[in-house]
Amino acid sequence: MITHLRSLAQFSLEELSILIERAIVLKHEKQQGILHNVLEGKSIALIFEKPSTRTRVSFESAVYGLGGQALFLAGRDTQLSRSEPLKDTARVMSRYVDGMVVRTHGQEVIEELADYATVPVINALTDLHHPCQILSDLMTVLEKKGQLDKLKVAWIGDGNNMANSWLEAAAILGFELVLACPEGYHPNEKILKWAMERNDKILLQHSPEVAAENADVFNADVFSSMGDEGQEEERLKAFAGYQLNQALLEKGQPDAIVMHCLPAHRGEEITEEVLEGPQSVVFDEAENKMHMHKALLEALVGGHTAS
């Protein structure tokens, strides 16, 4: 099993499958009132340079649910905001806590912390990757559809960190992934090339209708993410026609599911009708973050090896 979570590209097919299946088991066991204590006596630092609701609460709940203690540190409250070298932070924190969950801007922050830390470092979001979210999404898809490799997944909108992590997931798991992104808003070129070399069912183009055709899973995300402040007007123009609405949804399979990592800007990237409609699984998806985070913490910090 991996020692840090930098991105999904680290996983083998077997590792990814085991982790997703374990998260589903943990969800069922929570519903049955079964308790776990693999983090008893252990503490996890949540270092967040970017604000969060779902990621913070789901990780804190996951830590407590495994018997551990979560220590939340906003970026402004740490020496990172005062330019302390990352390698120093990594080595000091490794002597205080048993793991670090980091939500930050640059992927290089995760990489350097992981290079110098002697405890697991988990990427809770960077501008380049969002592996924890996509793991939760994959768990949701498997729950709802019963499989992953034979599905068509449609990504409609920005080629952002979510799209990058979906590309890595498709490369490993082998499902069809069609991305509809406007010109100038494509996913990372290196990640796209890496993924396409491993899966010839990955397609990047500009038509939401092509992506939607016979899709089993629809994905949308906000047009302007954190860090895109000041670009809202420009982005609204660029993404005109990329809204996930009922007309687009009807081009997919009749039992297609709709996903969105939230928060959603209703009326922009997705309509109220679709988000609140019978094919939407966004709130199951949000819940599953907590169960997936448990599986990650259990494996990386708790030493659990599911099989």
Side-chain angles (χ1 to χ4, degrees):
M1 186 65 185
I2 61 174
T3 54
H4 303 290
L5 176 54
R6 304 170 190 244
S7 75
L8 294 186
Q10 301 167 249
F11 285 94
S12 68
L13 173 60
E14 181 182 14
E15 288 171 336
L16 205 54
S17 300
I18 288 173
L19 190 63
I20 295 167
E21 290 165 5
R22 179 59 183 165
I24 292 174
V25 169
L26 287 169
K27 180 177 182 177
H28 291 164
E29 290 181 347
K30 184 179 189 301
Q31 293 168 345
Q32 296 164 22
I34 298 173
L35 302 178
H36 300 84
N37 62 354
V38 296
L39 295 187
E40 185 176 1
K42 295 185 177 183
S43 57
I44 307 296
L46 275 60
I47 304 172
F48 280 35
E49 292 190 286
K50 280 191 170 186
S52 168
T53 301
R54 278 156 292 277
T55 302
R56 174 181 175 177
V57 175
S58 59
F59 258 115
E60 287 189 349
S61 296
V63 172
Y64 293 138
L66 293 175
Q69 182 177 12
L71 307 172
F72 180 78
L73 298 167
R76 65 180 180 275
D77 299 329
T78 72
Q79 293 298 328
L80 293 178
S81 65
R82 300 175 181 87
S83 301
E84 179 178 47
L86 289 168
K87 60 185 180 182
D88 292 358
T89 296
R91 288 177 288 188
V92 170
M93 293 297 291
S94 294
R95 299 188 181 211
Y96 295 155
V97 299
D98 300 283
M100 289 182 274
V101 175
V102 183
R103 182 178 170 98
T104 186
H105 297 273
Q107 180 67 20
E108 66 276 4
V109 175
I110 297 291
E111 299 294 343
E112 188 166 352
L113 287 173
D115 285 344
Y116 285 92
T118 56
V119 298
V121 174
I122 296 174
N123 180 354
L125 175 143
T126 66
D127 294 340
L128 189 62
H129 297 287
H130 203 349
C132 292
Q133 179 65 56
I134 303 310
L135 285 168
S136 307
D137 293 355
L138 292 168
M139 172 188 173
T140 308
V141 173
L142 186 58
E143 276 188 324
K144 301 299 181 182
K145 309 300 289 185
Q147 61 180 343
L148 290 166
D149 60 320
K150 294 181 174 60
L151 300 178
K152 177 181 177 180
V153 176
W155 176 267
I156 314 291
D158 192 11
N160 58 13
N161 53 2
M162 289 277 292
N164 291 334
S165 290
W166 268 109
L167 281 165
E168 293 185 336
I172 297 166
L173 293 168
F175 56 81
E176 182 179 0
L177 175 64
V178 182
L179 304 100
C181 306
E183 191 66 52
Y185 296 92
H186 290 178
N188 178 272
E189 286 186 16
K190 289 183 179 179
I191 295 173
L192 180 63
K193 182 176 183 291
W194 179 89
M196 284 182 159
E197 287 173 349
R198 287 158 177 78
N199 182 353
D200 60 9
K201 294 184 289 184
I202 294 173
L203 174 65
L204 171 64
Q205 42 79 62
H206 300 134
S207 169
E209 288 74 22
V210 170
E213 192 68 35
N214 296 318
D216 300 288
V217 179
F218 284 83
N219 274 289
D221 195 6
V222 293
F223 293 155
S224 298
S225 302
M226 282 182 288
D228 297 328
E229 292 82 1
Q231 301 177 29
E232 288 87 351
E233 186 176 345
E234 174 187 336
R235 283 176 166 264
L236 281 175
K237 291 178 181 177
F239 288 99
Y242 285 81
Q243 183 186 76
L244 179 48
N245 52 36
Q246 191 62 35
L248 200 61
L249 183 59
E250 288 174 359
K251 293 183 179 295
Q253 296 289 351
D255 62 347
I257 59 173
V258 172
M259 307 183 77
H260 192 302
C261 64
L262 300 178
H265 295 167
R266 301 165 192 240
E268 288 186 12
E269 76 277 359
I270 190 168
T271 62
E272 175 88 5
E273 178 186 21
V274 169
L275 186 67
E276 296 288 355
Q279 291 170 262
S280 172
V281 298
V282 297
F283 297 106
D284 293 324
E285 178 187 1
E287 177 192 345
N288 283 344
K289 287 169 69 76
M290 178 180 66
H291 306 297
M292 176 52 70
H293 295 165
K294 276 187 177 181
L296 278 167
L297 290 164
E298 187 185 64
L300 293 177
V301 184
H304 178 87
T305 53
S307 60

